[in-house]
Amino acid sequence: VAPWPSQRGDNSSLAEATSNYQNNQKDIAFDSLYNASTISAQDKYYWLSEVYLLENQPDSVLKYIRFVDDTSKRDRLFFLEALAYYQKDDISSLKDHLKNSPSNMHDFYQERLFILSSNID
């Protein structure tokens, strides 16, 4: 299941990319995101990170996630970065990253990071 927020009747670039991705037109979906003019650069990079994670392209996740500075998505961004290191099988970077997890991270992400960390020890 894609993490996209699709809404009927929405003509935004994100909705267009969502529809294309869900219809397995991935190249068109990526082009829609890259060229989107109706969403902020922050949102564009965030959604590119999400999709690249789904596509098992961790280097691209790590490339785009660094451009996102959204405190409301802090825990999700931290988790995406951890998953990217895991996909890359970069255990050293993953362990270093996990050491820096925020102490007040939402329980949902804390639990998943715990499971992830137990798979690398």
Side-chain angles (χ1 to χ4, degrees):
V1 175
W4 302 80
S6 58
Q7 298 173 341
R8 292 180 184 219
D10 187 352
N11 291 325
S12 73
S13 301
L14 185 55
E16 178 184 338
T18 300
S19 176
N20 289 322
Y21 189 86
Q22 291 173 339
N23 290 316
N24 209 28
Q25 297 174 321
K26 295 175 183 177
D27 290 340
I28 296 171
F30 280 106
D31 286 344
S32 295
L33 273 176
Y34 282 120
N35 299 315
S37 60
T38 59
I39 60 174
S40 71
Q42 292 285 308
D43 285 343
K44 183 186 305 189
Y45 297 139
Y46 169 73
W47 287 111
L48 284 168
S49 297
E50 288 277 6
V51 175
Y52 279 124
L53 186 73
L54 288 173
E55 294 297 311
N56 198 24
Q57 296 183 31
D59 289 327
S60 294
V61 173
L62 295 170
K63 174 184 176 180
Y64 287 105
I65 207 166
R66 301 208 184 312
F67 297 118
V68 182
D69 184 23
D70 185 342
T71 56
S72 69
K73 292 182 176 86
R74 179 201 67 178
D75 295 350
R76 179 66 184 173
L77 294 168
F78 190 89
F79 185 61
L80 288 174
E81 189 171 347
L83 290 174
Y85 289 130
Y86 187 78
Q87 281 183 346
K88 282 180 61 129
D89 201 27
D90 186 349
I91 304 307
S92 175
S93 293
L94 176 57
K95 286 181 177 181
D96 288 343
H97 181 66
L98 292 175
K99 288 178 190 173
N100 296 315
S101 65
S103 60
N104 61 344
M105 181 177 280
H106 191 280
D107 290 345
F108 176 87
Y109 293 109
Q110 282 184 355
E111 291 168 5
R112 277 140 188 87
L113 289 172
F114 175 77
I115 293 167
L116 185 64
S117 68
S118 65
N119 287 327
I120 60 172
D121 291 331

